[in-house]
């Protein structure tokens, strides 16, 4: 129904965007610009953030967190001001849209905060798409991807979804063919690991060990072959994460989580990105569910997910 003439008609666009697991993550040495080059295979998994963007008749951007969130919002340190990644995404979209309005963003958080699964990046990707629809910005998918890259290295992937190879700082993405599903159990932690600290720890460990890391040039083709066919056994042999030992150095309990997972039927385990989420690979959905159940008996928070799943998608568009 249309609002009566002269009355502001609020509209809500709701978008969901997936979190990711790095199936492989190779990290080069610290560059003079303070970044590290990476070569990574990203996999979008079925754990989604949701952003509901509602147009407002007062200018400006406001952010709130939905009580439907499944992460512990009291424990998490999520800014609601201009430093929130969703806020930044809306601000960028307002700059490039001719007919922007004020907007309220309500975020439903399900991806663990500072968990190495790109939850904040998923919020940014969802917000880009929601504001694009709300303000009819007319941007192409490529232009949105470009704006996503300005917001953060993991944002373009949450927009794209599926599986992809990421080079550069992770933002130079090439989609990978991965039609078959793989099944994972995510063990989330009730604390976060700040990504910059994990990278600094890796640099320190390498220096202490006299290790000269090489610039990563590409990803192991066997990873892509295993993902394409959904061959979990082959994939288990090629999972790699250069950040893992730095994450374990900062949070030694991760070693126990990996051990418990592997002794309860996981065919391999890996810290996801900078951690502390651990991703355990299972043979099939039934094995994943039973592994998750076993891990809950240890008091661990375990979720079974699958991937690849599509990137950010509009799930509803309502005129209020
Ligand atoms: P990545 O793997 O991309 O480094 P992450 O999943 O480890 O990210 P996030 O949950 O994205 O970590 O957030 C890391 C930090 O960013 C948080 O501790 C928080 O202070 C800040 N932040 C900014 N915007 C958000 C947001 N929308 N959601 C969560 N955290 C946010």
């Amino acid at each position: 129904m249309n609002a009566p003439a002269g009355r502001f008609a609020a509209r809500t666009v709701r978008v969901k965007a997936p979190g990711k697991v790095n199936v492989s993550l190779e990290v080069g040495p610290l560059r003079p610009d303070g970044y590290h080059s990476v070569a990574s295979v990203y996999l979008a998994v079925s754990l989604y953030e949701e952003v509901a963007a509602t147009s407002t008749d007062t200018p400006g951007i406001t952010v709130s967190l939905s009580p439907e969130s499944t992460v512990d919002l009291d424990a998490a340190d999520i800014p609601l001001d201009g430093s929130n990644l969703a806020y930044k995404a809306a601000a960028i979209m307002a700059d490039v849209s001719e007919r922007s309005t004020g907007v309220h963003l309500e975020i439903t958080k399900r991806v663990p905060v500072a968990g190495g699964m790109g939850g904040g990046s998923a919020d940014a990707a969802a917000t880009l798409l929601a504001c694009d629809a709300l303000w009819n910005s007319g941007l192409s998918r490529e232009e949105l991807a470009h704006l996503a890259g300005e917001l953060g290295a993991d944002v373009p992937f949450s927009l794209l979804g599926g599986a992809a190879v990421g080079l550069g700082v992770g933002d130079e993405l090439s989609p990978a063919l991965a039609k078959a599903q793989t099944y994972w159990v995510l063990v989330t932690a009730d604390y976060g690991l700040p990504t910059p600290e994990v990278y600094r720890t890796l640099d320190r460990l390498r220096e202490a060990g006299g290790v000269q890391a090489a610039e990563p040039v590409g990803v192991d083709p066997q990873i892509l072959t295993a993902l394409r066919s959904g061959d979990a056994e082959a994939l288990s042999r090629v999972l790699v994460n250069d950040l893992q030992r730095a994450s374990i150095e900062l949070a030694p309990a991760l070693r126990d989580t990996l051990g418990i997972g592997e002794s309860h039927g996981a065919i391999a385990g890996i810290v996801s990105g900078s951690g502390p989420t651990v991703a355990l690979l299972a043979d099939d959905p039934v094995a994943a569910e039973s592994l998750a159940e076993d891990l809950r008996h240890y008091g661990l928070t375990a979720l079974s997910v699958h991937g690849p799943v599509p990137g950010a998608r509009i799930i509803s568009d309502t005129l209020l």
Side-chain angles (χ1 to χ4, degrees), residues 25 31 33-40 42 149 152-154 166-172 199:
L25 177 56
R31 305 190 314 204
D33 64 2
Y35 289 93
H36 295 77
S37 301
V38 302
S40 185
Y42 292 96
D154 289 341
L167 300 175
V169 292
D171 57 334
E172 295 167 19
Y199 274 92

Side-chain angles (χ1 to χ4, degrees), residues 20 77 79 83-85 109 112-121 123 154 195:
K20 54 86 185 165
D77 172 26
S83 61
N84 190 295
L85 275 170
K109 295 226 51 104
V113 178
M117 290 189 62
S121 302
D123 297 338
D154 289 341
T195 305

Side-chain angles (χ1 to χ4, degrees), residues 10-271:
R11 183 175 155 207
T12 298
V13 178
R14 185 176 280 275
V15 175
K16 70 173 185 176
K20 54 86 185 165
V21 164
N22 296 84
V23 174
S24 78
L25 177 56
E26 290 176 59
V27 179
L30 178 65
R31 305 190 314 204
D33 64 2
Y35 289 93
H36 295 77
S37 301
V38 302
S40 185
V41 178
Y42 292 96
L43 183 71
V45 294
S46 56
L47 185 63
Y48 301 93
E49 296 281 274
E50 253 176 61
V51 174
T54 302
S55 52
T56 58
D57 56 358
T58 45
I61 303 166
T62 49
V63 180
S64 67
L65 302 172
S66 163
E68 308 265 292
S69 300
T70 53
V71 303
D72 181 356
L73 295 177
D74 295 330
D77 172 26
I78 304 169
L80 298 179
D81 59 9
S83 61
N84 190 295
L85 275 170
Y87 184 112
K88 289 185 181 172
I92 262 193
M93 284 305 295
D95 274 352
V96 300
S97 306
E98 275 173 24
R99 286 181 299 277
S100 68
T101 57
V103 67
H104 177 70
L105 307 168
E106 189 189 46
I107 309 176
T108 307
K109 295 226 51 104
R110 300 199 185 93
V111 174
V113 178
M117 290 189 62
S121 302
D123 297 338
T127 304
L128 282 179
L129 200 59
C131 291
D132 170 57
L134 207 55
W135 299 329
N136 279 323
S137 73
L139 296 185
S140 65
R141 203 80 190 178
E142 285 68 32
E143 287 165 321
L144 279 181
H146 179 75
L147 295 181
E150 287 181 11
L151 287 163
D154 289 341
V155 186
F157 178 67
S158 189
L159 204 55
L160 179 71
V165 174
L167 300 175
V169 292
D171 57 334
E172 295 167 19
L173 285 180
S174 336
L177 205 64
K179 287 209 178 101
Q181 291 293 312
T182 48
Y183 300 89
W184 303 81
V185 173
L186 302 175
V187 185
T188 64
D190 54 9
Y191 54 88
L193 282 179
T195 305
E197 196 180 336
V198 178
Y199 274 92
R200 275 197 300 274
T201 304
L202 176 67
D203 294 336
R204 184 168 54 74
L205 289 173
R206 282 175 167 170
E207 204 182 319
V211 176
Q212 286 285 333
E215 282 293 331
V217 281
V219 302
D220 179 350
Q222 290 187 59
I223 300 170
L224 300 176
T225 310
L227 267 185
R228 194 171 308 135
S229 59
D231 183 343
E233 201 60 51
L235 189 58
S236 74
R237 291 192 291 272
V238 284
L239 296 179
V240 53
N241 181 0
D242 283 350
L243 289 179
Q244 179 157 311
R245 64 194 190 107
S247 310
I248 291 176
E249 171 84 7
L250 291 168
L254 294 177
R255 197 194 305 277
D256 303 333
T257 306
L258 287 162
I260 296 171
E262 283 168 16
S263 64
H264 283 78
I267 47 179
I270 195 168
V271 169

